[in-house]
Amino acid sequence: MAAEEVLQTVDHYKTEIERLTKELTETTHEKIQAAEYGLVVLEEKLTLKQQYDELEAEYDSLKQELEQLKELKDVIYDVLNQLAFQFSM
């Protein structure tokens, strides 16, 4: 009987080792998938940050150009007013 008990114990341990091995494989696979997803998210974040920086630079450039155009408009109006005043005399 002792030999039978030993065989049952060995079978139990083999089954437990198989279960744990399968669980470890699944967990490792899930961790790899999570890491890959994290990398995709990080790459997307970096891409969005770069796009944001480019749009911000373009915004600043356009804002400066708008200010210059406003100043130019004021100068043109002043010149036109001076010309209109000269011709009205």
Side-chain angles (χ1 to χ4, degrees), residues 48 67-68:
L48 290 172
E67 288 301 317
Q68 291 171 349

Side-chain angles (χ1 to χ4, degrees), residues 2-87:
E4 188 176 315
E5 289 176 9
V6 170
L7 287 176
Q8 286 178 349
T9 303
V10 168
D11 285 342
H12 171 75
Y13 286 132
K14 283 182 180 180
T15 303
E16 187 66 13
I17 289 171
E18 289 172 5
R19 184 187 70 77
L20 290 172
T21 301
K22 181 180 177 184
E23 189 175 319
L24 178 62
T25 301
E26 290 172 359
T27 303
T28 302
H29 180 70
E30 290 171 1
K31 285 184 178 185
I32 290 170
Q33 284 182 321
E36 289 172 346
Y37 178 74
L39 288 174
V40 169
V41 170
L42 182 59
E43 288 173 0
E44 182 66 21
K45 179 185 175 188
L46 292 173
T47 299
L48 290 172
K49 174 71 170 123
Q50 183 179 7
Q51 289 174 348
Y52 174 83
D53 290 344
E54 290 170 1
L55 288 171
E56 189 173 41
E58 184 178 354
Y59 168 79
D60 290 340
S61 176
L62 290 171
K63 186 176 177 182
Q64 183 180 5
E65 185 178 342
L66 178 62
E67 288 301 317
Q68 291 171 349
L69 289 171
K70 285 179 181 180
E71 292 172 8
L72 182 58
K73 176 196 70 145
D74 292 341
V75 169
I76 290 171
Y77 278 138
D78 288 344
V79 169
L80 289 175
N81 284 335
Q82 290 173 2
L83 288 174
F85 179 73
Q86 288 178 357
F87 283 119

